[in-house]
Amino acid sequence: MNHKTCGCGAGRFNRRAALATMGVGLASVFGATSAQAHAKRSAVRPEDEGFMRMALAEAAEGDFPFGAVIVRDGKVVSTGRNLGVTNNDPTAHGEMVAIRRFVADNPAKDLKGATLYTSGEPCPMCMGAIVWCGMGRVVYAASIEQLSKKLGQIMITSRAVAEAAPFLTVEITGGVLAPEALALFDKNKRNPLP
């Protein structure tokens, strides 16, 4: 194995190199170059606060304070909250629950171009699912960096995951009602930190 191309260096993992390699690998599969990877920052829109409040309401009811709302053509088509403890499923994050609920009754292709609102910046697992669904926009409240002060996080941003997917452009808007999202951790009884 060539340590320079796998991102691990001389026995030490290099996240930036690994992500770049991953992007080149995906690009070759989908016939694109890594320069075509798209993650666009987008401005807050007038409707964002209302939909984010719905995601925060979902988060307040979850096992951990994470909630998501999927919107298509200005209408809520699915919601989800963290059910990891309830379902004994560590993949039952709010975003995953919302996606699973949607595809239980609808074709997955109908998620293309949708917007996902979430109380916390999607982890790599959730952002990967968002990309594979072809969603066009992600709006989050608290960032990975902010969340890492409340509980353990994989420190890979949604933007880094989106940039490693050269076959899709995803608009990303962060910080919408972040203080309210972070305050939910103080109210949550299952908060893992003292």
Side-chain angles (χ1 to χ4, degrees):
M1 177 188 295
N2 182 341
H3 291 291
K4 289 181 182 175
T5 60
C6 76
C8 59
R12 197 177 96 183
F13 183 74
N14 181 327
R15 179 173 69 97
R16 219 169 263 182
L19 286 172
T21 301
M22 183 178 8
V24 170
L26 284 172
S28 66
V29 169
F30 290 98
T33 66
S34 60
Q36 292 173 310
H38 298 291
K40 291 185 355 183
R41 284 194 174 92
S42 68
V44 175
R45 299 178 186 169
E47 67 273 18
D48 289 347
E49 187 173 312
F51 288 125
M52 185 59 73
R53 289 205 182 282
M54 292 179 191
L56 292 172
E58 284 292 323
E61 300 298 321
D63 292 342
F64 293 98
F66 293 102
V69 173
I70 300 174
V71 175
R72 182 149 181 83
D73 299 323
K75 296 181 182 159
V76 174
V77 296
S78 188
T79 63
R81 63 183 66 138
N82 184 293
L83 296 173
V85 175
T86 300
N87 293 354
N88 190 35
D89 178 358
T91 69
H93 294 188
E95 300 94 329
M96 300 296 285
V97 171
I99 291 167
R100 289 173 185 158
R101 284 182 178 163
F102 181 85
V103 299
D105 298 318
N106 303 280
K109 67 179 179 57
D110 289 351
L111 287 171
K112 289 194 185 323
T115 298
L116 187 138
Y117 291 85
T118 179
S119 59
E121 183 175 2
C123 73
M125 173 186 69
C126 293
M127 192 62 193
I130 290 163
V131 166
W132 288 122
C133 290
M135 292 190 204
R137 186 168 182 243
V138 171
V139 181
Y140 64 83
S143 69
I144 292 272
E145 183 78 26
Q146 292 169 313
L147 292 168
S148 71
K149 294 173 176 71
K150 299 288 185 182
L151 76 166
Q153 288 291 303
I154 298 172
M155 300 302 290
I156 299 174
T157 65
S158 56
R159 183 174 179 82
V161 174
E163 287 178 347
F167 52 89
L168 179 72
T169 297
V170 180
E171 292 182 44
I172 299 173
T173 304
V176 177
L177 302 178
E180 288 91 333
L182 292 165
L184 291 174
F185 282 88
D186 299 329
K187 297 176 185 173
N188 189 281
K189 294 176 185 146
R190 293 185 179 161
N191 187 356
L193 294 179

